[in-house]
Amino acid sequence: MSASYHLASGPQYLLRGWALMWEPDLRSFVLIPLAVNLLLFGGAFYFLFLQLGQLFAWFEQWLPDYLHWLSYLLWPLAVVTIVLVFSLLFTSVANMLAAPFNGLLAERVEQKLTGTSSDEGWFALLRDTPRMLGREWRKLAYYVPRALGCLLLFLVPAFGQTLAPLLWFAFSAWMMAIQYCDYPFDNHKVDFDRMRRALAEKRRLTWSFGASVSLCASLPLVNLLIMPVAVCGATALWVEHYPQLRTGPVSR
């Protein structure tokens, strides 16, 4: 393995994912997760945009006159909370729906990078769908209580509201790395806890990759493309940094 692999940073792997996504032999495997992301996120945030005005009008009517000044303090918090909850809901739905196709995309990217091949295709994908969906529930169970803990800090004046955004970003970066690196790990039947420990052993690389994904996911339009890009980039990271966990070609 080239030493240059180990010098690659998290953002560089995300850029490699962007380049891999457009490879002719991978495009067909990119289309389905990309379409899922475009339809769900585009529709969800358009709906949210339409509803926010009505929500804020109702909120002002609900406040007594002598508390109207609170609206200036609570509106930013309400916007942050609504967007985060909405993002959590639709990110979870999108990941659930796209999980089997993301796993297949990760498999094909790995085969391209390692020069291996497999005769298994869509039938194996259907056979493994229940296991992949179970893995998504495992990630969700890991995410939700920790995310709620971070969000509760936003309610603590001064110290909590200062610390909460930093913790939220750091945790979001970690979860983005887990979310997308999990596809190649799961393809090789590496269990969830072992995967988390492996990622933690390369904490700087893992966090910088997840932070790059988080930043891109927060940008309008860019966030609609981030899912297949992150899957491709995470698979490149897996291939080059975890050879000891690969047992040969993916065996479903």
Side-chain angles (χ1 to χ4, degrees):
M1 183 180 299
S2 171
S4 63
Y5 288 160
H6 294 286
L7 297 176
S9 65
Q12 287 173 316
Y13 279 110
L14 193 60
L15 290 174
R16 289 187 63 189
W18 173 262
L20 283 165
M21 187 178 77
W22 302 106
E23 291 287 335
D25 52 341
L26 295 177
R27 286 177 192 167
S28 60
F29 300 100
V30 167
L31 288 177
I32 293 179
L34 183 60
V36 169
N37 219 28
L38 286 171
L39 290 173
L40 280 179
F41 278 91
F45 281 100
Y46 178 71
F47 175 79
L48 177 61
F49 177 78
L50 293 178
Q51 299 302 313
L52 277 178
Q54 298 179 18
L55 177 64
F56 289 149
W58 170 85
F59 184 68
E60 284 190 341
Q61 293 175 0
W62 176 79
L63 278 177
D65 291 340
Y66 65 89
L67 290 179
H68 269 188
W69 62 272
L70 279 176
S71 62
Y72 297 102
L73 298 177
L74 295 179
W75 275 21
L77 180 61
V79 171
V80 170
T81 302
I82 291 169
V83 170
L84 288 175
V85 171
F86 219 66
S87 296
L88 169 61
L89 174 62
F90 281 92
T91 297
S92 301
V93 172
N95 286 331
M96 285 286 183
L97 293 178
F101 306 104
N102 284 337
L104 183 58
L105 174 59
E107 176 186 334
R108 295 310 167 107
V109 171
E110 181 177 341
Q111 290 172 5
K112 181 177 183 64
L113 294 175
T114 59
T116 59
S117 62
S118 172
D119 294 331
E120 297 185 320
W122 296 103
F123 176 77
L125 174 69
L126 292 174
R127 186 186 64 206
D128 280 359
T129 293
R131 192 197 81 242
M132 294 177 180
L133 293 180
R135 187 79 163 209
E136 290 300 314
W137 280 111
R138 179 70 180 86
K139 283 184 277 190
L140 190 61
Y142 176 83
Y143 174 77
V144 169
R146 292 164 176 81
L148 290 176
C150 287
L151 291 176
L152 288 175
L153 278 177
F154 280 98
L155 302 178
V156 180
F159 177 77
Q161 292 174 353
T162 301
L163 185 62
L166 300 176
L167 283 179
W168 180 259
F169 180 74
F171 176 64
S172 296
W174 172 242
M175 278 308 307
M176 285 294 186
I178 285 180
Q179 177 63 51
Y180 292 107
C181 289
D182 185 57
Y183 294 115
F185 276 89
D186 185 43
N187 282 343
H188 285 267
K189 309 297 192 301
V190 178
D191 70 73
F192 184 76
D193 292 331
R194 177 70 184 94
M195 183 265 298
R196 286 196 298 112
R197 291 194 298 270
L199 292 177
E201 290 170 2
K202 299 180 183 289
R203 193 176 303 275
R204 180 177 300 178
L205 174 66
T206 299
W207 188 86
S208 65
F209 175 76
S212 302
V213 177
S214 291
L215 288 172
C216 290
S218 67
L219 300 175
L221 300 181
V222 176
N223 57 5
L224 300 178
L225 301 172
I226 195 61
M227 181 186 290
V229 175
V231 172
C232 293
T235 305
L237 188 153
W238 151 267
V239 167
E240 294 169 5
H241 287 270
Y242 296 99
Q244 73 280 10
L245 296 179
R246 298 203 311 273
T247 56
V250 175
S251 175
R252 294 187 179 280

